[in-house]
Amino acid sequence: MLSDFCLFIRHARILLPSGEFLLGDIHTCGRRIVQVAPEIPVPTDVTAYKEIDAQGLTLLPGVIDPQVHFREPGLEHKEDLFTASCACAKGGVTSFLEMPNTRPPTTTQAPLDDKLKRAADKCLVNYGFFIGATPANQPDLHNAQPTCGIKIFMGSAHGALLVDHEAVIEPIFAQGFSEGSRKYNRLIAVHAEDQARINQRRKEFAGITDPAVHSKIQDNQAALNATKLALKLSKKYQRRLHILHLSTAEEAELLREDKPSWVTAEVTPQHLLLNTDAYAEIGTLAQMNPPLRSCHDNEVLWQALLDGVIDFIATDHAPHTLEEKAKGYPHTPSGMPGVETSLPLMLTQAIEGRCSVAQVSDWMSTAVAKAYGIPNKGAIAPGYDADLVLVDLENYHPVLREELLTKCGWSPFEGWNLTGWPVMTIVGGQVVYDRGKLNTDVRGEALTFTS
């Protein structure tokens, strides 16, 4: 039985909660970490165990990706929960939080239950799901369980999930609030773009087929307008707010000047490492929402991340097929895959001196667990879940299309030479990925949330 099975990882460079590294061993039993020490003998009462020689490898907490679009149900030709979780395992992502814009959308308890059942049947890693706000589903936003939070598409959405007017957005922030008491403070995560401005600029730039115009239509001001509105409402009701995929220098500076303690923000690797120059190189594969920005935006976002203005990293993994991406702008969908490349992308930045390995792990695991109230995740310490990734920081390997496990089969970072690739990924004490091979018998668990 798994509850009796133990792992002993030997000779690893282990990232401790202090941010320091220990060269030593780790003992897990069942789904939990039992001991971390320079050397751990096998206890006499342990009979079912496996030993892993991690000489030359670095052991980090498994990545928690807090924003993905895995397309199931309804859009499985792009991705599904099984293929996406395989890609997660390869990328060192041991838990994910998935968005509600599936078909049907996750806006009530029934589709949430359906997703949870699908994930229990298919997912190699741990999972949690957002519930999506509509102009008419406030009771569901209050009562749906378990969910990591409420997602509001302030822009760049279609149908019922587009909630783009202040008069409709404000009641969601106000829900359950009474003066002097926050009876109900479920996290609200916003896709912050001003749909009215986007609609107007689409008219201004109509007829242009160069995908680079996407960053002009959905410009910095569209993002700033929406972030200002969300921040205003969050402050008015002291409502827990998370700003998804922050993309502009202006938003970063706004938060630097005015960020209440209950507000958090994230950034994607692509908004740190890609910019509008990518359109000339990879065309519509660079198209996403919010769009890629300028080199200046890259630099300001980096500094905001280093300074703690931005709290953590998400991929916004949003796959589309190559056929869909080849339709020609403006008929091409926005979004790109990311779960397989996010950790090596960021660890390569650490090795190049832009940040530290410990900072990367905090941004991609520890800080996410804290922000979403996910217990026993995000650290390598006794009592924590044995969600772990062994990475190779000594060797480099390029991003190759033929090696990707995401169903869409491409990456905007194709050809980038990266270090920090996962060698082994462990979910709940079970090896799910080992040097190119998946154990598809492993199943993750539904995440729980305390905040």
Side-chain angles (χ1 to χ4, degrees):
M1 294 177 60
L2 175 61
S3 60
D4 300 320
F5 184 78
C6 297
L7 285 179
F8 293 87
I9 302 173
R10 308 290 191 191
H11 316 120
R13 181 173 176 252
I14 304 166
L15 178 63
L16 302 176
S18 65
E20 298 177 340
F21 287 91
L22 169 72
L23 186 61
D25 298 351
I26 179 170
H27 171 203
T28 76
C29 197
R31 304 191 71 90
R32 293 294 175 92
I33 298 169
V34 176
Q35 187 179 5
V36 181
E39 186 174 357
I40 303 174
V42 178
T44 57
D45 60 343
V46 172
T47 56
Y49 67 93
K50 176 180 180 179
E51 292 191 295
I52 297 166
D53 185 0
Q55 186 76 41
L57 302 176
T58 298
L59 187 68
L60 304 175
V63 172
I64 305 171
D65 191 334
Q67 189 193 174
V68 299
H69 303 262
F70 283 171
R71 306 305 190 195
E72 184 176 351
L75 297 165
E76 288 92 340
H77 69 283
K78 303 174 189 279
E79 191 81 275
D80 60 59
L81 287 167
F82 175 74
T83 60
S85 66
C86 289
C88 283
K90 182 174 180 287
V93 177
T94 54
S95 301
F96 65 80
L97 305 180
E98 206 261 352
M99 288 297 167
N101 55 330
T102 44
R103 296 179 183 175
T106 318
T107 56
T108 65
Q109 187 69 50
L112 176 61
D113 288 342
D114 177 62
K115 275 191 177 178
L116 288 164
K117 183 180 184 304
R118 289 169 182 264
D121 291 341
K122 296 182 177 184
C123 279
L124 280 61
V125 302
N126 306 309
Y127 47 88
F129 298 100
F130 280 88
I131 187 163
T134 75
N137 73 333
Q138 286 196 41
D140 299 288
L141 299 181
H142 181 88
N143 296 320
Q145 294 286 354
T147 182
C148 49
I150 298 164
K151 169 68 178 286
I152 301 179
F153 287 91
M154 300 173 73
S156 296
H158 304 281
L161 284 174
L162 179 60
V163 186
D164 59 342
H165 296 289
E166 183 173 354
V168 182
I169 298 169
E170 181 164 3
I172 300 170
F173 278 84
Q175 184 183 36
F177 176 86
S178 60
E179 191 66 36
S181 173
R182 287 185 288 171
K183 294 180 180 177
Y184 173 67
N185 200 30
R186 175 170 283 175
L187 177 146
I188 294 174
V190 294
H191 179 123
E193 288 189 281
D194 180 347
Q195 190 63 42
R197 181 174 177 85
I198 292 171
N199 292 343
Q200 179 58 42
R201 290 179 70 79
R202 280 179 180 158
K203 295 176 183 177
E204 294 173 16
F205 292 95
I208 298 176
T209 59
D210 180 354
V213 77
H214 188 66
S215 293
K216 296 180 180 179
I217 293 172
Q218 296 178 212
D219 66 348
N220 289 38
Q221 191 63 49
L224 181 63
N225 289 353
T227 295
K228 281 184 173 179
L229 173 57
L231 188 62
K232 180 184 82 171
L233 294 174
S234 173
K235 290 166 64 179
K236 180 176 181 178
Y237 296 102
Q238 297 183 53
R239 188 62 190 270
R240 176 75 176 89
L241 171 67
H242 178 63
I243 302 168
L244 299 159
H245 44 43
L246 202 79
S247 66
T248 72
E250 291 88 344
E251 291 170 286
E253 292 306 322
L254 171 67
L255 292 183
R256 187 179 292 277
E257 296 299 321
D258 184 13
K259 186 187 177 197
S261 61
W262 58 86
V263 174
T264 53
E266 71 187 30
V267 66
T268 69
Q270 50 268 39
H271 284 118
L272 294 172
L273 301 173
L274 297 175
N275 51 59
T276 51
D277 292 344
Y279 291 114
E281 298 175 12
I282 59 174
T284 57
L285 299 186
Q287 180 187 334
M288 66 173 295
N289 297 330
L292 300 179
R293 309 297 186 185
S294 69
C295 293
H296 172 67
D297 292 294
N298 292 152
E299 295 301 320
V300 175
L301 291 170
W302 260 109
Q303 195 59 54
L305 181 63
L306 290 166
D307 293 344
V309 175
I310 296 173
D311 299 271
F312 49 85
I313 288 170
T315 65
D316 192 20
H317 177 97
H320 301 283
T321 67
L322 286 167
E323 182 181 9
E324 290 168 329
K325 282 290 193 177
K327 289 182 177 179
Y329 192 84
H331 307 295
T332 44
S334 295
M336 55 182 69
V339 293
E340 288 173 82
T341 54
S342 58
L343 183 58
L345 281 167
M346 295 307 300
L347 289 174
T348 299
Q349 296 298 304
I351 297 303
E352 292 177 358
R354 196 151 201 181
C355 56
S356 70
V357 172
Q359 284 176 308
V360 169
S361 184
D362 182 60
W363 297 330
M364 300 188 76
S365 187
T366 311
V368 181
K370 179 181 178 182
Y372 281 94
I374 306 173
N376 304 314
K377 304 286 188 190
I380 301 177
Y384 277 73
D385 291 341
D387 296 337
L388 306 164
V389 57
L390 276 167
V391 299
D392 180 358
L393 293 171
E394 302 297 325
N395 297 291
Y396 282 73
H397 184 75
V399 179
L400 300 175
R401 183 173 292 188
E402 59 268 24
E403 294 179 354
L404 296 171
L405 298 184
T406 174
K407 187 182 286 189
C408 73
W410 61 272
S411 168
F413 299 101
E414 188 173 352
W416 286 43
N417 202 32
L418 306 177
T419 191
W421 287 99
V423 173
M424 182 178 293
T425 304
I426 297 165
V427 175
Q430 299 181 82
V431 177
V432 67
Y433 175 81
D434 184 359
R435 294 172 174 86
K437 295 182 180 180
L438 288 170
N439 180 358
T440 57
D441 292 331
V442 174
R443 290 294 177 268
E445 291 189 329
L447 298 170
T448 58
F449 309 96
T450 60
S451 63

